[in-house]
Amino acid sequence: GEPALDKNGRQRVLYKHTAAEGMYLGDVSDREPGVVKRITLRPRAYTGYYDITGLYAPAGEVVKIELSEKDMEATGGICVHIGQALYNGQANNIWNARNINRMPVILNTFNINKSNATLENGIYTAYVGSFLGGPIYVRDERVNFSVTVSGGVNYSHYILGYTTKDEFYKNAGSSVPFFDLEVWENGVLHSGPKKYAENFTYEQLYDAAVLWEKISLVSTKVSTQGIVFLYDPFVAAGAAVAFPGRRSVNCPMGWMSNSLNYNSFVTSGA
């Protein structure tokens, strides 16, 4: 595609905004190594969700996305998020009718398709980034496809049934101040500052994930869907707020440590 231009006709440049400082109670080290990661995604039992890549886009860094010509044809293009999103793809903000808007809005969404990606040697290439940075997610498609992400950095996360112990502890050493725990199929995503997850061991997170899997199996008897819990300094309404139609819950940051603590959860709730 054509490069984006500013109001003076100059090519726009991505930079790190000052608001990115300490956004998740910490900062990505300038020494954190960028990686190249190829991820294969398959459809879930439900539609309209996004998948953890385990990669974080540092503020102001350009991230390359590559998709084969075959997968571009099969998907019709893919959608990439940088930053926390409600499961329906909207930013964690508040409805316009309330006339209250979060500043800054921390979600950047990129629809990558034939019109804005460059095809060369059977590979479509596009570039994404964010002034504020954030976790990189790729939205579900109804087909299997693979995507290669270059320039992001690893961050701490745990996916039940997928993340190995070695991988978990390697990623736990990342300077990225963010964490995700996911039960994948009809499941649950807990997403927020690493500060509230870093004291849990691999085994403790396994216990918490199995508990949430059982909770999700009960709830999906009524509605086959997953749900994302966003732990955030911004809460759109009240102490916490659920958006059932958007399959999301917006909670204050500190609640995440309770949700991931199996022992306290089963004895006294969260």
Side-chain angles (χ1 to χ4, degrees):
E2 294 296 320
L5 304 178
D6 66 17
K7 63 181 180 181
N8 298 315
R10 294 188 294 263
Q11 184 170 340
R12 294 184 65 194
V13 177
L14 185 62
Y15 62 89
K16 178 180 180 179
H17 197 285
T18 54
E21 294 291 335
M23 190 168 70
Y24 288 112
L25 309 179
D27 294 293
V28 181
S29 169
D30 289 337
R31 298 178 181 177
E32 195 69 47
V35 300
V36 177
K37 187 174 184 180
R38 179 175 170 83
I39 304 152
T40 299
L41 303 173
R42 61 179 174 84
R44 304 196 195 201
Y46 50 88
T47 59
Y49 294 89
Y50 56 77
D51 294 285
I52 292 174
T53 66
L55 298 172
Y56 191 95
E61 294 291 334
V62 175
V63 175
K64 181 167 71 173
I65 306 292
E66 294 173 292
L67 189 70
S68 72
E69 188 173 10
K70 177 183 177 182
D71 284 342
M72 179 68 84
E73 294 290 345
T75 60
I78 62 173
C79 180
V80 176
H81 295 308
I82 296 179
Q84 289 176 290
L86 304 178
Y87 250 163
N88 69 346
Q90 291 180 319
N92 182 30
N93 205 337
I94 199 166
W95 44 94
N96 291 332
R98 294 290 296 272
N99 198 29
I100 302 173
N101 289 301
R102 179 200 188 125
M103 283 295 292
V105 175
I106 64 173
L107 175 68
N108 270 15
T109 296
F110 306 86
N111 291 303
I112 297 171
N113 52 50
K114 291 180 180 180
S115 66
N116 58 23
T118 301
L119 176 62
E120 186 174 353
N121 297 325
I123 301 294
Y124 278 97
T125 301
Y127 297 90
V128 301
S130 167
F131 298 116
L132 300 171
I136 302 170
Y137 302 108
V138 178
R139 293 200 70 82
D140 259 11
E141 300 288 342
R142 301 319 302 154
V143 294
N144 293 334
F145 69 100
S146 297
V147 59
T148 300
V149 182
S150 305
V153 298
N154 290 316
Y155 72 89
S156 184
H157 64 281
Y158 179 87
I159 303 172
L160 181 64
Y162 178 82
T163 306
T164 66
K165 192 171 184 176
D166 287 346
E167 181 186 10
F168 171 77
Y169 282 113
K170 180 179 179 181
N171 289 330
S174 168
S175 64
V176 176
F178 197 80
F179 178 80
D180 276 321
L181 178 141
E182 184 173 47
V183 177
W184 192 79
E185 187 60 65
N186 288 316
V188 177
L189 173 63
H190 294 279
S191 182
K194 181 183 176 182
K195 175 181 176 180
Y196 299 105
E198 61 187 357
N199 292 328
F200 295 110
T201 66
Y202 181 86
E203 289 77 15
Q204 287 171 327
L205 290 172
Y206 170 82
D207 288 342
V210 170
L211 172 64
W212 280 103
E213 181 179 50
K214 292 176 180 177
I215 293 170
S216 72
L217 289 172
V218 173
S219 67
T220 53
K221 291 293 183 181
V222 178
S223 177
T224 303
Q225 65 174 57
I227 188 166
V228 58
F229 289 83
L230 302 177
Y231 300 90
D232 196 325
F234 172 86
V235 178
V241 60
F243 300 105
R246 308 174 207 193
R247 302 171 182 183
S248 305
V249 181
N250 178 199
C251 304
M253 292 188 296
W255 287 22
M256 186 160 80
S257 58
N258 294 323
S259 298
L260 301 181
N261 190 326
Y262 170 83
N263 288 329
S264 66
F265 197 104
V266 297
T267 56
S268 57

